[in-house]
Amino acid sequence: MQPVDALESRLGGWVIAARWPIIAGALVLVEIAASGTAFLEFSADHRVYFAKDNPQLLAHEAMEDTYSQGSNVFFAVVPEDRDATSALALEATAWLTEQSWLFPYATRVDSVTNFQHTTADGDEILVRDLVDEAARGDAGERSRIRSIALADPRLAARLIARDGAVGGINVTLRPPGEDVLAEGLRVVEFARGLKDEVRERFPGIDVRTTGLAIFNQTFMEVSLNDLKALVPASFAAMSLMLFALIRGIGGTVAIMLVVALSVMTSVGLGGWIGLPMTSAAAIAPIVVLTVAIANCVHVWSTLVHSMGADASGALADGGGDTPRSRVRTGERKRDAIAESVRVNLQPVFLASLTTTLGFLSMNFSEVPPFQQLGNFVAFGVGAAFVLSVTFLPALLSLLPIRVRAAGHRLDGAMPMLAEFVVRRRRELLWGGGLIAVALVASIPRNELNDVFLHYFDESIEFRRDADFTARHLTGMYALEYSLGSGEPGGISEPAYLADVAAFAEWYQQQPETMHVDVITDTFRRLNMNMHGDDPAEYRLPANRELAAQYLLLYEMSLPPGLDLNHQIDIDKSATRMVASTKTLSTNEVLALDGRALEWLADNAPHIVRPESSGTTLMFAYLGRRNIVSMLVGTTIALVVISLVLILALRSLRLGLTSLVPNLVPGALGFGVWGLAVGEVGISLSVVTAMTLGIVVDDTVHFLSKYRRARRELGCAPPDAVRVAFRTVGRALFTTSVVLVAGFIVVSLSSFELNAGMGKLTALVIALALLADFFLLPPLLMKVEGGSGKDAAPGSERAVRA
């Protein structure tokens, strides 16, 4: 370790001597790195949350290819009089249906007005729009239309509410996928334009827009909103807080400049290597901002502490404001900067390394945006380390620094706190242990659960429109099933159709279900039509030949764009059934899908290899897959961080002791969360890995000062604890408060994944400070021995050193 000790001793002097080249070089390098922001791309596709080999994503894409499906926009038409079949409502629905064919990439438009209604016409089937222009103005016709729509299972609770109050229009889209961002923006702008035009053309008609295309665009808009609102707010809030805590304009400006350069480097390097900016990764600048401040505060705190001690000595010698005293002040500042770099180089490096390891462990996540968040922050932490031990000292050597003789009130509080901890160490150790056990016992109260529709809070228009549509029209969640017959043309086999119909009926009986879209409803209708519209014949065809003939006759009568490709595969060997449900949690979705697959296995022998898929199931499975992968990543990070600390502290005993305050905060945080909330979503599954590296910082700095007091000053454990509190206590408090404030700002995000992560991370960091102040010191005194009864508030020489 001798080369490291030599580097610690000399680096401060080198930095001061070469301050101008260091400042200029740092600015040039940051500018080069930041230029990568030109290559930064925003993502507006929910698929970015899934790895390319994710099995649910692959199944969903296969089903999309089989049944010609893609994205969609869904309009809920809301008449003021709550009559979706009034003359005004039908006119608005017909107009919006016609205009929706002009959507970019539109392949299909479905509504009550263009629904292909079938009736008997002698020995043939007459297929036509349910609503024509003449019918809209005739009260009797409108009443007939309402009766038909509410009675048809293909319309009720899908394109018209069961009470007839709200209507719906579904636009199916197949964008080429060459430029997802631009294509999505075109679709959403067109949808919003149509919505505004309907409101203007048809007073008394409101329109709500949902659908996968709107969902995707909302992801991107939330990312931009977080970058535009939260990052500046966080920067301003932390600047004010930092100024209040360190009470120095020069120091605040220097630290915030380092922070800004670190953020620029982080985002720029991400752009250079092609990381996309997603809604989850959008908080990376705020996380870098908070973590970077911690390094700088430790350098500044030691600098001010050293200058304060020298200043007190100078005043005692009778120094005043003279040219000679000003020269001595300059010398004191240079010496203090060199000492600050010497004292902080190793702990700042270790803190940065462990923080980087913690965030890099997020690459084990099943969610690519969390991987990208970890990489963005890792870049920023690395940049912050380099800048805090080179650029910051060089800049501080040029800025005027005034040290208040009175000191900060926290400086006086720390010796008192140290004395309390030393004298009450047994009570704190046992009391802290009991509290920890109680809260850890509450961790099982947390249930891995998510409601992906609630990823956006109610300030977001999409969330409000989706909630309204789910309450008043149809379910926003869809579970899709591909039901194979095992042979080409096999979907006309009566036994197969009977199994499909029974499965649909089972699904309709489930309390979660709002609507089931299934081909057997069409077969039943066609069979009734071919029997003179006799309601008694509303059943499945008696034999395969009849079913195939009815289907062929019906398909030949359908207009372009309204075929059955969304329900039947190309060789008619399988059909697609879609169950729309209420807004469910991930556990409820998985339980429902599990029951459905179990029912198929037990009751549908003629359905071959049924497969479930859809966006809803993709997100439901993602949480469970992510928590398993993050357990692996967090374990590896913990092992590596522990080895780093053992090697750096050159003590197996201290290294293992440090694990307690590093692991306890995360466990306590989830315990408190279990008592207060009880649900852990997909974003919270990465909090342990993310906070592991952060909470180690305080432990590293406390142990570093404790170890220096033991090694260089020869202090007994109690006095070494007093020295650590005196020299680093204020800095630990300051950095923790700033970190908590930063993540509280993150919790203000309208994107629930970020907001929940911010709340829990802030809680864990606050608990980590308590652990480092009230659990780590008693543990060190217990492990290293020493009663401390004969060590006064210290040997003054040791405690003041």
Side-chain angles (χ1 to χ4, degrees), residues 78-415:
V78 189
E80 196 173 73
D81 62 1
R82 287 298 193 269
D83 182 1
T85 56
S86 68
L88 179 63
L90 289 177
E91 185 181 356
T93 302
W95 183 88
L96 185 53
T97 300
E98 191 65 30
Q99 293 300 309
S100 293
W101 285 107
L102 303 178
F103 255 97
Y105 324 116
T107 60
R108 183 185 183 95
V109 180
D110 291 287
S111 72
V112 169
T113 58
N114 78 342
F115 176 71
Q116 297 305 290
H117 181 57
T118 59
T119 55
D121 184 17
D123 293 333
E124 296 183 353
I125 298 175
L126 180 62
V127 183
R128 60 183 177 183
D129 290 349
L130 177 60
V131 181
D132 57 30
E133 189 171 353
R136 296 177 214 157
D138 187 292
E141 277 296 297
R142 292 200 305 273
S143 178
R144 184 185 67 84
I145 290 167
R146 182 183 182 90
S147 298
I148 292 172
L150 296 180
D152 196 313
R154 295 169 293 177
L155 288 177
R158 177 172 170 252
L159 297 177
I160 187 170
R162 291 196 185 276
D163 62 0
V166 179
I169 300 171
N170 188 63
V171 185
T172 303
L173 309 164
R174 289 284 286 181
E178 297 171 357
D179 187 343
V180 175
L181 189 64
E183 292 162 7
L185 185 59
R186 285 188 64 197
V187 167
V188 172
E189 286 180 345
F190 192 87
R192 289 171 177 167
L194 279 183
K195 178 174 70 173
D196 293 340
E197 194 167 351
V198 168
R199 289 171 172 170
E200 183 178 342
R201 278 174 169 265
F202 305 98
I205 299 293
D206 191 18
V207 176
R208 307 296 184 98
T209 53
T210 61
L212 196 54
I214 309 297
F215 180 70
N216 285 336
Q217 185 67 16
T218 304
F219 267 120
M220 192 198 71
E221 291 173 349
V222 166
S223 305
L224 291 173
N225 289 341
D226 281 356
L227 287 172
K228 290 177 182 177
L230 295 186
V231 174
S234 180
F235 195 89
M238 288 189 213
S239 297
L240 292 173
M241 186 173 296
L242 195 61
F243 176 74
L245 289 170
I246 71 175
R247 299 195 305 176
I249 295 177
T252 301
V253 171
I255 290 173
M256 294 312 294
L257 180 57
V258 170
V259 167
L261 295 177
S262 301
V263 171
M264 292 167 60
T265 303
S266 166
V267 177
L269 289 176
W272 275 116
I273 68 170
L275 294 181
M277 184 59 73
T278 61
S279 46
I283 64 168
I286 302 175
V287 179
V288 172
L289 192 155
T290 56
V291 174
I293 284 178
N295 288 345
C296 299
V297 165
H298 284 289
V299 173
W300 168 264
S301 181
T302 305
L303 164 63
V304 172
H305 184 81
S306 299
M307 288 188 67
D310 290 344
S312 299
L315 289 172
D317 292 339
D321 186 17
T322 64
R324 183 176 178 182
S325 70
R326 286 195 292 272
V327 170
R328 285 207 307 268
T329 299
E331 293 172 351
R332 286 201 309 272
K333 185 170 76 169
R334 287 193 292 273
D335 292 342
I337 290 173
E339 175 66 8
S340 178
V341 173
R342 183 187 77 84
V343 170
N344 286 294
L345 179 61
Q346 186 191 50
V348 168
F349 171 74
L350 287 176
S352 300
L353 178 59
T354 54
T355 301
T356 300
L357 290 172
F359 278 98
L360 287 178
S361 71
M362 292 173 70
N363 281 281
F364 284 88
S365 171
E366 284 285 327
V367 185
F370 290 151
Q371 300 173 12
Q372 294 143 14
L373 171 62
N375 292 331
F376 272 120
V377 176
F379 289 143
V381 172
F385 164 70
V386 174
L387 292 171
S388 63
V389 297
T390 55
F391 179 83
L392 179 62
L395 185 60
L396 290 175
S397 71
L398 299 174
L399 296 174
I401 300 176
R402 295 187 62 185
V403 180
R404 300 174 186 269
H408 197 284
R409 66 180 63 181
L410 285 176
D411 294 332
M414 287 302 152

Side-chain angles (χ1 to χ4, degrees), residues 550-631:
Y550 294 167
L551 185 62
L552 177 61
L553 184 61
Y554 178 62
E555 285 188 294
M556 292 176 62
S557 303
L558 292 173
L562 294 176
D563 52 38
L564 296 178
N565 289 342
H566 68 299
Q567 284 187 310
I568 301 174
D569 70 350
I570 193 168
D571 66 351
K572 294 181 171 51
S573 64
T575 64
R576 171 174 169 263
M577 189 188 91
V578 180
S580 300
T581 72
K582 302 172 183 176
T583 300
L584 305 175
S585 68
T586 55
N587 285 344
E588 291 169 331
V589 169
L590 294 174
L592 177 59
D593 181 55
R595 298 200 311 268
L597 294 176
E598 184 178 356
W599 189 95
L600 285 169
D602 294 340
N603 300 282
H606 300 96
I607 294 178
V608 181
R609 294 185 301 277
E611 296 178 353
S612 59
S613 183
T615 303
T616 301
L617 277 172
M618 288 163 59
F619 277 101
Y621 277 102
L622 188 60
R624 293 193 175 184
R625 291 175 57 86
N626 192 61
I627 198 166
V628 172
S629 62
M630 285 311 303
L631 282 173

Side-chain angles (χ1 to χ4, degrees), residues 226 230 233-234 237-238 241 283 286-287 290 690 736-750 754-766:
D226 281 356
L230 295 186
S234 180
M238 288 189 213
M241 186 173 296
I283 64 168
I286 302 175
V287 179
T290 56
M690 190 171 75
S736 297
V737 169
V738 171
L739 285 167
V740 169
F743 282 100
I744 287 176
V745 172
V746 173
S747 73
L748 300 178
S749 172
S750 55
N754 292 344
M757 186 191 301
K759 292 172 188 173
L760 184 54
T761 302
L763 174 62
V764 171
I765 292 172

Side-chain angles (χ1 to χ4, degrees), residues 524 527-529 531-540:
R524 284 171 168 153
N527 191 69
M528 184 184 74
N529 296 147
H531 287 81
D533 286 342
D534 181 0
E537 295 296 329
Y538 185 77
R539 57 191 178 191
L540 296 173

Side-chain angles (χ1 to χ4, degrees), residues 10-56:
R10 297 176 183 174
L11 182 60
W14 291 342
V15 168
I16 294 172
R19 53 193 172 187
W20 286 112
I22 286 175
I23 292 173
L27 293 175
V28 170
L29 290 176
V30 169
E31 183 178 2
I32 293 173
S35 63
T37 56
F39 305 104
L40 204 61
E41 294 185 355
F42 286 83
S43 177
D45 188 352
H46 68 284
R47 295 169 198 251
V48 300
Y49 278 80
F50 303 89
K52 292 181 179 179
D53 60 350
N54 180 283
Q56 282 75 42

